[in-house]
Amino acid sequence: MSSAASVDRVHVRAPGKINVFLGVGGRHDDGYHALATVFQAVSLYEDVIARAAGDFSVTVRGADGIGGDADAVPLDDRNLAMRAAKLLAAAADYHGGVALEIRKSVPVAGGMGGGSADAAAALVACDALWGTGFSPARLHELAARLGADVPFALHGGTAVGTGRGDQLNPALARGRFDWVLVTSDEGLSTPVVYEQLDLLREEEGALADDPPLSLDVPIPVLQALRSGDAVQLAASLHNDLQAAAVHRRPDLEETIRRGIRAGALHGIVSGSGPTVALLCGDPESAQAVQTSLQQAGREALHVHGPVPGARILV
Ligand code: C5P
C-alpha cells in the first residue's frame, strides 16, 4: 500500500466462526489431526487496532457477556496477535514494532476461533500500517503458520477446510443463516479436547482405532449450504469433537436440548467448545430462542452468517 507511510493507526475487524461440519480423522506425526470441516464466519467480531510503535505490545479488553475471561488472555509472545505481528515483521524484514489493542467480542477459549481472528486481524493491520503490501496468498501462508484456523479468519464467508483445517476452498452459501450462541463462563482448551477425543477413540477399541488421515465433507452439507435451506443444514450439522467436549462438560447436551425445545432447528458444540451454536429457521425464531435461554439465566447471543473475513475499517 503506497499511502501506508502516512498511516499511524489501522483498525481491522475479523469474525469468529462456527464449524457447521467438523470431521476429525487420525493424528499425524506433527500432532495435528486430519480434518474435513466447513467453517462459517458469523457476525461476532474481534477488533484489532494497530498503532505505530518502536517495539511490540498488546492490550486486551473484553466486551461484557462474551463468556471466558479476557483477563486470562496472555499479553506476551503466547498471544497469537503478537506472534502474528512478529512473524509479519520478520517476513517483511521490518525493524519497527506495533502497539496492538484487541477488543474482544468472541468468547475466550470458546471454540469460535477468537484468538485466530485476532491473529488474522493483526496480520492485515500490520501489513497496512507498515506498508508491507503482501499478497493475499502470502498472508494466507503466514496465517497457516500461526494456527489451523487463522487462514479462515482472513478469508471469512463459508469455506471447506481440509488438511489441518488450513487448506481452504470457498463453499457456495446462499442467503443468511441465523444462529444463537450460548457461551460459557469457563473456556475449554482445544488441545485437551483433541486429546480427549483420542482417548475416547482408544477406549472404543478396534472399530475406531485407525481413523483416516484424509477425509471429505459429506455432499449433503454442501447442498444444504448451497440451497440456503436452514432445515436441511440442521439435519447435517455434525461435530466429531462434540463427544469429547461433552465428556468434559456434560451440561452442553442439556443446553442443546433446551435450545431445541425453545424452537431451534438443531444445535451443535462449536469447534472444540464450550460455546453451543443453535441453528434457527429465521431471525424471529432466533430472537425467541435467545430470549428463552436468557430467561433461563444463560448468556445467549443472536448472530448470523456468513460474513466477510478480516477487513480494514475506514
Ligand atoms: O492450530 P491451533 O493452534 O489452532 O491448534 C490448537 C491445538 O489443537 C493444536 O495444538 C492441536 O493439539 C489441536 N489441533 C489438532 N488438529 C487440528 C487442529 C488443531 O490436533 N487439525
Side-chain angles (χ1 to χ4, degrees), residues 27 31-35 80 116 146-149 163-165 190-192 194:
R27 199 169 55 173
Y32 276 83
H33 292 73
L35 297 188
L80 213 49
S116 299
L146 291 160
D149 292 345
R164 302 185 314 165
T190 301
V192 165
Y194 274 98

Side-chain angles (χ1 to χ4, degrees), residues 8-302:
D8 60 8
R9 178 186 185 277
V10 179
H11 183 169
V12 174
R13 178 164 285 179
K17 57 81 187 167
I18 292 168
N19 299 81
V20 304
F21 176 87
L22 178 54
V24 183
R27 199 169 55 173
H28 287 283
D29 292 342
D30 63 2
Y32 276 83
H33 292 73
L35 297 188
T37 190
V38 180
F39 297 103
Q40 181 158 92
V42 295
S43 57
L44 192 61
Y45 301 97
E46 298 284 274
D47 283 294
V48 173
I49 295 136
R51 293 185 178 83
D55 55 12
F56 291 83
S57 66
V58 60
T59 58
V60 178
R61 203 174 69 195
D64 286 341
I66 60 166
D69 183 4
D71 292 342
V73 176
L75 303 179
D76 54 20
D77 281 347
R78 288 167 301 163
N79 186 292
L80 213 49
M82 174 85 101
R83 294 212 324 247
K86 288 188 174 175
L87 183 65
L88 183 75
D93 202 22
Y94 178 76
H95 295 286
V98 63
L100 296 171
E101 177 189 335
I102 301 176
R103 299 180 188 163
K104 298 196 75 65
S105 296
V106 178
V108 177
M112 290 193 59
S116 299
D118 297 344
L123 283 176
V124 171
C126 292
D127 179 63
L129 186 72
W130 300 334
T132 313
F134 278 6
S135 67
R138 183 88 170 102
L139 289 178
H140 181 118
E141 186 250 314
L142 294 178
R145 282 158 62 182
L146 291 160
D149 292 345
V150 184
F152 177 71
L154 276 180
H155 186 279
T158 306
V160 173
T162 49
R164 302 185 314 165
D166 55 339
Q167 290 165 24
L168 293 181
N169 278 298
L172 205 59
R174 195 188 303 274
R176 128 183 186 144
F177 293 94
D178 285 273
W179 301 90
V180 172
L181 304 172
V182 188
T183 62
S184 290
D185 284 342
E186 223 169 287
L188 271 177
S189 150
T190 301
V192 165
V193 173
Y194 274 98
E195 272 164 35
Q196 185 69 57
L197 177 69
D198 289 340
L199 277 176
L200 290 176
R201 284 179 165 171
E202 244 172 73
E203 282 166 20
E204 277 167 20
L207 268 183
D209 69 358
D210 200 13
L213 288 174
S214 137
L215 359 164
D216 291 320
V217 171
I219 301 290
V221 181
L222 302 174
Q223 277 170 343
L225 288 162
R226 242 193 334 260
S227 66
D229 184 334
V231 174
Q232 254 187 57
L233 185 62
S236 37
L237 291 179
H238 175 77
N239 180 0
D240 272 348
L241 285 179
Q242 183 155 319
V246 164
H247 190 87
R248 303 223 142 224
R249 285 281 308 274
D251 59 298
L252 298 181
E253 271 187 334
E254 173 51 26
T255 302
I256 293 174
R257 279 197 295 271
R258 191 184 277 275
I260 293 170
R261 280 202 302 275
L265 298 170
H266 199 25
I268 195 171
V269 170
S270 174
S272 54
T275 304
V276 164
L278 299 160
L279 179 58
C280 299
D282 51 46
E284 293 72 30
S285 75
Q287 186 68 48
V289 169
Q290 181 191 23
T291 304
S292 165
L293 282 153
Q294 284 172 338
Q295 280 167 353
R298 307 304 307 273
E299 205 68 68
L301 306 162
H302 173 195

